[in-house]
Each structure stands twice: as C-alpha cells, then as structure tokens.
Amino acid sequence: MRARSAIPLSALGVVVFLLMWEMLAQSGIVPARLLPSPSAVPGAFLSEFRSGTWQTMVMASLSHYLMGLALGSFLGIAFGTAAALSPWWNAFQAWVVRMLRPIPAIAWIPFAIIWFGVSESAASFLISLTVFWINYYATFSAVRGVDKDLIELAHAFGQGGLVPRLFKVILPGALPGIMSGLRAGLGQGWMTVVAAELFGIPGVGMRMMEASGLLATHIVVLYMVTIALLYGVSDFLFMQVQNRVLSWQR
Amino acid sequence: MAAVIDLRNVSIGYGADAPPVLVGVDLTIERGSFVAIVGPSGVGKSTLLRVVSGLHEARTGDVTIHRDPRPDSRAVGLVFQDPRLLPWRRVARNVRLGLEGLAIAAADRDRRVEQALKLVRLDGDYGRRWPYELSGGQRQRVGIARALAVDPEILLMDEPFGALDAITRHGLQDELLRIHRETGKTVLFVTHDLEEAVHLADRIIVLGGGGAGAGPARIVRDVANQPGRDAIAFRDQVEQLRSGIADNYSI
Ligand SMILES: Nc1ncnc2c1ncn2[C@@H]1O[C@H](COP(=O)(O)OP(=O)(O)O)[C@@H](O)[C@H]1O
Ligand SMILES: [Mg+2]
C-alpha cells in the first residue's frame, strides 16, 4: 500500500478507536471514574489551561527532557565513538558496560534522589541515562560500519590523522546510524520523563499522579494525550532536521 | 633519467601468517614514464599500487619514492578501481579532499578544483551535484579529477577506466595521454586490458604466476612498448603479451 493512499484509512482507524472508546464509556458498563470518555478530555484541557497548570507542567517536563536528551545524546555518541575506534578503550570498558547496561533507568531513582534530591537535576539525570544507552549502541555500530574503503581514501589523500579522519570520514559516514539512535532516544526520553516525575518532581508525570489520587481520570488522560502530542511534535521536528542533514542520501 | 619509484626485492602480503601475494619485486620507474601493469585478476596489481602509494607496508624489501621511504601522501595521486567518492560531499568538495590542510589560499584551491574538473570534462554545474546524481562513468571521472587536483608528480591508477563504456574510455585514454605529455607526470597504470596497456604505455610489466593455489605472483615480463604504433605492430605486441601471460599462468 502506498503511503499517500494509506492516510485516509489510518485516520479512519483513529476515529473508530475513539468512537468505540466513547461508546464503552457512555454505556455505563465501566464506571466513569475508571474509564473517562474521550469527550471529557477537551473540558479537562480548558480547566487545566485556564489555571495555568498545563503550561507550567509542560514547560517543566520539556526542560527536564531537553536537558536529559542533550546530555545523554552527547555522552552516548562520544562514548560510543571512542569504544568503536579504540580497541584498547573498548576492552577496558566492555565488562563495566555489560554490568551497567541491563539496569533500567527507573532502577536508578533511589540514587537520583540521594544524589540530586527531588529536583529537576534528578529527572534530567534519569532521562539522560535512558538516552545514553540508546545512543551509545547506535553510535558504536554506526562507527564500526563505516566503509573501510573510505578510511583508506582518507589516508591516500592526506586526511589520515585522527582529527581529519574522524570529522571528514568517520562521523559523516556514521551519521545515518547516529541519527536513528538520536531519534530512538527522542522517543524513549519522553517515556522516562513521565516515570521520573512520578515520584514528585513537578511536571506532567507528577500532575498525572496527583490527578489519579483524586480519581480525576479525565485529567490523567489529558496528560497522556499531551505526552503523545509532545512526542509527535519532537519526532516530526527531528525528521525535518534529519531530512535536511542527510539530503546527500539518494 | 632519474628514478622516481624504486622497489628492491619487495614481497607483499596481508596478515602475518598468510602466504605472500607478491614476491621478489624489483622495479625502477623513471621520471616521466608511463608504465602499465597487467595481469589476471587477483594476481596482486591493486596490492602493488597500495604499497607504492604507502597505504600498505611491504613485508620485506625497500620501497622508496625519490629515495624517500616515507613520502608525503601528496607526492602520489591515487585513482581507485571504484570511484570511492564521499557521498556526503558534493562533487567539487570531493575533488578538494586532497587539498585540505595544505597551505593554499582558498581562491587558489577552488581554481585547482575547477581545473581538475575541466580536465575530466565535468566543469560547469557538475561541481554542485551530489555523487548519487552522477552516472558511474562520471563518478569515476570525479575520482580522477580528485587525484589530478593535488597535482602529484606520480599518478597511480588502478584500472581507472575498467568500468566505463568504450566511448568514454577512449576519450579519457586520450585525455590521460595528453595530460601525461603536457605535464610529464609519471604514470603507473594498472589494467587487465592488454589493448589498453599497449595503447597507452611506454613500458609494460606483466604480473603472473599467482592465482588461487598457485603460490605468490612475481614480475614475469617487463617489456618496452611504443604507444600509438600502427595496427599490425599493435596486434603483434598484444598477442606476444597474451601468450607470455598464458605460459606463465599455466606453470
Ligand atoms: N585487504 C586484503 N586482505 C587480505 N587479502 C587481500 C586483501 N586485498 C587483496 N587480497 C588478496 O590479495 C590478492 C591480490 O589482490 P589484488 O591486489 O586486489 O588483485 P588484483 O588487483 O590484481 O585483481 C588476492 O588473492 C586477494 O584475495
Ligand atoms: Mg585490483
């Protein structure tokens, strides 16, 4: 199926999904407290927006997210590149990486609180952990996958030193793989935002916990939708950048 | 005439344990000569060029360029068997690669890039294209321009026209002969095409004796040649080389 002709069908899928949800909620089979109807969400948005809560929470989450994303992406790309380029460094860090890798970011919450308190930095730290691993592995294999012939080319044309080789051949050659790592981190980062804020750092996640404590499930759904939209927007913006940066690809 | 490339009892291999690809290579190439290296595929022609260009170290023996064992990479210009362009650079920036890091004014550098592109008939709008927007033959010509832009004294060319159609190939052969005559550059030209070697070179070196399970290869013929001779003499020379290769290959 061609991408263009798939659009109406995909839109229809969303409408049917919302309709069925609305019908289920309206029917009274499930109590309204347990399952809010989608038609309640616009109202929830208006009240949260008028009080300024929505803007405050979104801005707070966005700032945790951007900090964590920038830090985790940068360090992930740097460490991934170093491990892929230096056999010595790769061997040195290999077992440490294998030890730390299986620990999910959420498991670091106790340490995040001990080290940073219930603070912005704690949330950014947790997000950067998630983002770090994704970028580390994506960059490692992207750098390893750079065409050896192009590296030979660099040597043949006087660009064999580490700096010109790195910036003229290795990193540009690895860029498509690095970009897909960045994109995956962009998505996983939002998931960690919510988790990191659940324990009381102001933001979308904290507001969701508050609302669920009051059984205000329509507000919970509002922020779920908010997260989905924020993710959609950041992914869209990233794709715009990516298409431009990788315009040399056929 | 002065020797520009000098190989003394050189053997070449990949990996410490693998048997050598080439052994006993003694080769002196004089300034301004056009030397063709021919031989069946897999015999070690590209390997030999890699050693002359300094990309690969000889296992034993001495390799010198102008008596220098570690020459500047800009003393030689290398044209690979494949175009080997950087896909993320437009054509002109690809041609510029070897000029980067040199103490040349930007305007001067751009002029050399333009000149090199003109030599391979890719001037004008081509400089701004991405490699993927070119045909295979055009890409190969960009690779040639990239080597010419450095203005090296020695041109090492690894089957540069092998993948081109006959018309483009003949055009570029004539262009190369003209560049060779005008600039006096030393050319080391690898080809598996005997006609091409006889058409271009003033000296033809045949590698043979290698191949799968046949042990290492060596230089089996080293003959003078007169490029641009008449048709009958041309065919004789090609036939002679062909039978020479066949003899050595069956050993
Ligand atoms: N990078 C390499 N590593 C190991 N063996 C190689 C490598 N490159 C070439 N060889 C081997 O060296 C021999 C000569 O190869 P090559 O010089 O490419 O031949 P030609 O250019 O004459 O076709 C072949 O047997 C090939 O398998
Ligand atoms: Mg070859």
Side-chain angles (χ1 to χ4, degrees):
Chain A
M1 187 146 206
R2 293 228 309 281
R4 189 65 76 75
S5 55
I7 291 175
L9 203 57
S10 306
L12 183 67
V14 173
V15 171
V16 170
F17 172 74
L18 289 176
L19 274 178
M20 286 177 58
W21 176 7
E22 183 74 31
M23 272 156 55
L24 189 65
Q26 297 278 345
S27 69
I29 300 171
V30 188
R33 278 216 230 112
L34 299 188
L35 184 69
S37 66
S39 58
V41 171
F45 174 70
L46 277 182
S47 73
E48 289 284 292
F49 187 81
R50 285 211 190 95
S51 69
T53 315
W54 188 85
Q55 298 91 309
T56 312
M57 295 305 159
V58 166
M59 286 316 287
S61 287
L62 203 58
S63 113
H64 305 156
Y65 173 74
L66 291 177
M67 270 297 295
L69 189 71
L71 194 69
S73 301
F74 176 77
L75 291 177
I77 291 170
F79 277 86
T81 304
L85 288 185
S86 161
W88 180 90
W89 173 251
N90 189 30
F92 182 75
Q93 49 104 76
W95 288 5
V96 177
V97 163
R98 247 172 256 170
M99 241 160 52
L100 295 179
R101 172 59 186 138
I103 305 169
I106 308 307
W108 287 95
I109 287 180
F111 278 111
I113 294 176
I114 292 167
W115 292 339
F116 302 101
V118 179
S119 69
E120 304 248 280
S121 313
S124 297
F125 167 71
L126 294 169
I127 294 159
S128 72
L129 272 176
T130 301
V131 172
F132 173 83
W133 288 115
I134 294 169
N135 280 282
Y136 174 86
Y137 281 106
T139 302
F140 182 86
S141 55
V143 168
R144 276 287 165 93
V146 172
D147 189 350
K148 299 288 175 292
D149 285 350
L150 295 183
I151 294 176
E152 190 182 59
L153 168 74
H155 284 287
F157 282 82
Q159 313 297 330
L162 179 63
V163 172
R165 190 157 36 98
L166 187 62
F167 289 101
K168 291 178 184 181
V169 176
I170 294 171
L171 288 179
L175 196 59
I178 293 175
M179 293 292 266
S180 43
L182 281 170
R183 189 178 178 201
L186 218 77
Q188 290 292 321
W190 275 118
M191 295 176 200
T192 314
V193 167
V194 178
E197 291 166 354
L198 288 179
F199 63 92
I201 298 170
V204 169
M206 186 194 82
R207 185 67 184 144
M208 285 165 80
M209 278 309 269
E210 281 176 2
S212 83
L214 304 169
L215 287 183
T217 47
H218 58 298
I219 291 180
V220 176
V221 172
L222 164 67
Y223 283 103
M224 287 165 74
V225 173
T226 302
I227 287 288
L229 285 178
L230 285 171
Y231 166 69
V233 170
S234 45
D235 193 59
F236 175 79
L237 291 178
F238 183 80
M239 284 308 283
Q240 301 307 303
V241 174
Q242 171 164 315
N243 288 342
R244 183 157 301 193
V245 172
L246 299 183
S247 61
W248 49 269
Q249 282 186 324
R250 181 172 346 216
Chain B
M1 278 235 196
V4 283
I5 302 172
D6 200 39
L7 281 74
R8 285 280 145 254
N9 198 23
V10 165
S11 70
I12 313 169
Y14 292 98
D17 305 325
V21 173
L22 284 165
V23 292
V25 178
D26 278 305
L27 185 60
T28 301
I29 291 174
E30 266 140 30
R31 170 171 304 178
S33 55
F34 194 129
V35 179
I37 296 176
V38 298
S41 79
V43 79
K45 304 183 296 295
S46 298
T47 301
L48 182 60
L49 274 203
R50 236 179 244 135
V51 164
V52 173
S53 67
L55 290 176
H56 191 74
E57 194 124 9
R59 195 175 277 179
T60 62
D62 300 312
V63 179
T64 53
I65 309 283
H66 290 305
R67 298 206 186 82
D68 184 356
R70 304 207 121 250
D72 190 299
S73 70
R74 274 91 168 188
V76 295
L78 187 55
V79 179
F80 295 93
Q81 205 164 345
D82 51 327
R84 216 174 281 197
L85 305 182
L86 298 174
W88 51 86
R89 285 183 175 218
R90 292 176 194 273
V91 165
R93 295 246 300 142
N94 263 290
V95 174
R96 209 181 78 175
L97 183 69
L99 300 174
E100 291 170 5
L102 295 184
I104 312 176
D108 216 26
R109 197 172 59 186
D110 294 347
R111 197 178 42 74
R112 277 167 74 167
V113 167
E114 216 163 289
Q115 269 178 350
L117 279 170
K118 197 176 238 163
L119 280 175
V120 297
R121 306 229 164 83
L122 283 176
D123 44 340
D125 149 68
Y126 285 104
R128 286 190 301 276
R129 293 206 194 175
W130 295 112
Y132 78 82
E133 294 173 311
L134 302 181
S135 73
Q138 290 171 330
R139 261 176 250 163
Q140 189 61 19
R141 280 144 73 189
V142 176
I144 295 168
R146 179 177 56 196
L148 290 173
V150 186
D151 196 21
E153 207 186 312
I154 303 165
L155 265 180
L156 305 177
M157 310 181 87
D158 192 354
E159 307 197 31
F161 310 144
L164 303 182
D165 63 281
I167 295 172
T168 312
R169 182 166 62 239
H170 290 141
L172 281 173
Q173 283 172 346
D174 293 344
E175 206 62 54
L176 178 61
L177 280 177
R178 191 182 60 73
I179 293 168
H180 169 67
R181 266 188 228 113
E182 285 177 9
T183 63
K185 287 188 198 307
T186 310
V187 181
L188 197 53
F189 187 98
V190 165
T191 176
H192 61 254
D193 181 350
L194 295 177
E195 273 93 355
E196 185 172 48
V198 172
H199 179 55
L200 294 175
D202 47 45
R203 180 180 169 195
I204 299 174
I205 285 159
V206 183
L207 297 182
R218 51 180 74 241
I219 294 176
V220 295
R221 286 272 191 296
D222 186 344
V223 296
N225 183 57
Q226 281 176 295
R229 70 176 83 202
D230 66 81
I232 293 168
F234 178 88
R235 268 226 301 284
D236 279 354
Q237 180 73 291
V238 170
E239 277 318 311
Q240 233 176 354
L241 282 166
R242 187 163 284 152
S243 60
I245 288 173
D247 288 350
N248 277 285
Y249 211 49
S250 55
I251 288 170

